[in-house]
Amino acid sequence: MISKNQGLFRRMEQITLKPPTTTVLLDKFKEILDSAANEECKENDKTYEKVQNAKAFKKEFDKEQSIYDSVRKFFLWGSQVQNSKYFANYAGVEKFLNNCIFSIDLDNDIGPAIEKVIRETKHDIKRQLAGVRTGANGIADTIEIITDIDTRFDKDLVGCGDQITYMRSIIDVLANKSKYGDLNLIVPKGALMKGVPGTGKTLIAKAMAGELQERFQSDPATQDIRFGFMAFSASELTSKPVDYIAAIFNAADDYDVCVMLDPDEKPFDSPIGTILTFYPHIHCI
């Protein structure tokens, strides 16, 4: 009815609702878990097993920091803009909690069961995202933004000590803008990594994105920051229409921090190496 009356549609006040943040999702999870664990039932009731599992899960959730951190990081991942289309709502939180409760075996350790539920839920969301990109009708739907980066300096890199030290200093500046802003420090506009193929330029760039993500995840004060990572080849960008380039930055605008990587050895036909350009909240690597 409304779509057929364009005049009425234009006169309506448009209200945009943002997806819940990590803190909101985690608080909702605790609220539902408390309610499920405190539900009163008798041993012969149908819900007795669910309540007992909920009580066991709540006990471990409150006691074991590792389980709490796993759930918190999962909600941080789920609240990212791209993933929130399929998860970051209150129905998604309740479904995830029910999966956790019903996966618990009281005779075994709860931690592995929760990790398995997290892996399966992530896999399901990523599968849905892949399906959307495969059958995408618009340019924006074809852009993949990674919100779960596993590459790290200490775990995946050997050597390159001076380069890693420099990248850590950049990470510190980007993660503490207010601190360095008070010192009137100007964030560098860019950096250039040079070297023959195989020296680790792309791996360092990916590790930097992973370290920056870890910095935000590890601090509860910054857990609501939305972080994304995009990788494009120079040949891919130059072969796309102008609308595609605009769609990339429109997608990046949905994130507080977005790292973009161009892994080509000769980006834009220039024999100089991997380019890093830093914007106010969009960091291109």
Side-chain angles (χ1 to χ4, degrees):
M1 180 67 70
I2 293 177
S3 61
K4 294 181 180 179
N5 189 337
Q6 295 300 318
L8 177 61
F9 182 78
R10 285 192 296 269
R11 291 194 298 272
M12 283 187 170
E13 184 72 24
Q14 296 186 22
I15 302 174
T16 302
L17 301 179
K18 293 184 177 181
T21 62
T22 303
T23 301
V24 172
L25 292 173
L26 191 58
D27 289 344
K28 187 65 177 179
F29 180 84
K30 294 176 183 177
E31 178 185 331
I32 300 175
L33 179 58
D34 287 342
S35 177
N38 294 327
E39 182 179 344
E40 294 185 4
C41 65
K42 297 181 180 179
E43 189 170 349
N44 57 349
D45 290 345
K46 293 182 179 180
T47 59
Y48 179 77
E49 182 180 355
K50 177 182 177 182
V51 173
Q52 295 304 308
N53 285 0
K55 289 181 178 179
F57 181 32
K58 184 179 185 306
K59 180 180 178 181
E60 294 297 317
F61 182 77
D62 293 338
K63 183 179 69 173
E64 294 293 336
Q65 186 65 34
S66 60
I67 294 178
Y68 176 86
D69 287 340
S70 295
V71 173
R72 183 180 68 85
K73 289 182 178 181
F74 171 68
F75 285 133
L76 193 151
W77 178 85
S79 65
Q80 301 304 316
V81 178
Q82 185 169 240
N83 305 322
S84 65
K85 299 176 183 178
Y86 305 96
F87 174 78
N89 51 59
Y90 299 127
V93 172
E94 187 170 6
K95 180 181 178 181
F96 171 68
L97 175 59
N98 286 332
N99 289 340
C100 290
I101 290 175
F102 286 115
S103 69
I104 291 175
D105 183 356
L106 297 180
D107 296 329
N108 296 309
D109 188 12
I110 291 177
I114 303 304
E115 291 290 347
K116 181 180 179 182
V117 172
I118 291 175
R119 286 196 304 271
E120 291 176 347
T121 306
K122 280 188 174 183
H123 176 76
D124 185 54
I125 293 175
K126 290 177 180 179
R127 180 183 55 80
Q128 294 181 61
L129 286 171
V132 169
R133 283 192 295 273
T134 301
N137 295 320
I139 293 176
D141 290 334
T142 65
I143 298 173
E144 181 181 7
I145 301 180
I146 304 168
T147 53
D148 198 11
I149 308 164
D150 295 327
T151 312
R152 299 289 186 271
F153 286 144
D154 296 333
K155 178 171 67 74
D156 299 295
L157 296 180
V158 177
C160 305
D162 293 339
Q163 292 79 7
I164 290 176
T165 299
Y166 176 73
M167 299 302 283
R168 288 190 189 278
S169 67
I170 293 178
I171 291 172
D172 194 50
V173 172
L174 297 178
N176 298 283
K177 286 186 176 181
S178 58
K179 168 187 171 183
Y180 288 99
D182 294 339
L183 300 174
N184 295 322
L185 178 69
I186 299 176
V187 178
K189 294 296 184 182
L192 174 64
M193 290 191 291
K194 299 174 65 176
V196 298
T199 53
K201 301 185 298 297
T202 299
L203 192 58
I204 291 176
K206 290 180 179 178
M208 177 195 173
E211 293 286 346
L212 191 58
Q213 172 189 267
E214 182 67 25
R215 179 71 70 90
F216 292 133
Q217 287 182 341
S218 60
D219 186 358
T222 57
Q223 68 180 9
D224 290 333
I225 290 179
R226 302 186 190 277
F227 181 89
F229 175 74
M230 291 187 281
F232 303 96
S233 66
S235 57
E236 180 183 8
L237 293 178
T238 54
S239 64
K240 296 288 186 179
V242 176
D243 291 346
Y244 185 80
I245 307 300
I248 290 174
F249 284 90
N250 287 337
D253 278 335
D254 291 333
Y255 291 80
D256 298 305
V257 177
C258 190
V259 177
M260 286 185 281
L261 164 67
D262 172 16
D264 277 12
E265 297 301 336
K266 295 183 179 181
F268 302 103
D269 298 323
S270 178
I272 51 180
T274 299
I275 295 179
L276 295 84
T277 308
F278 306 105
Y279 292 90
H281 75 290
I282 302 174
H283 311 299
C284 299
I285 298 180

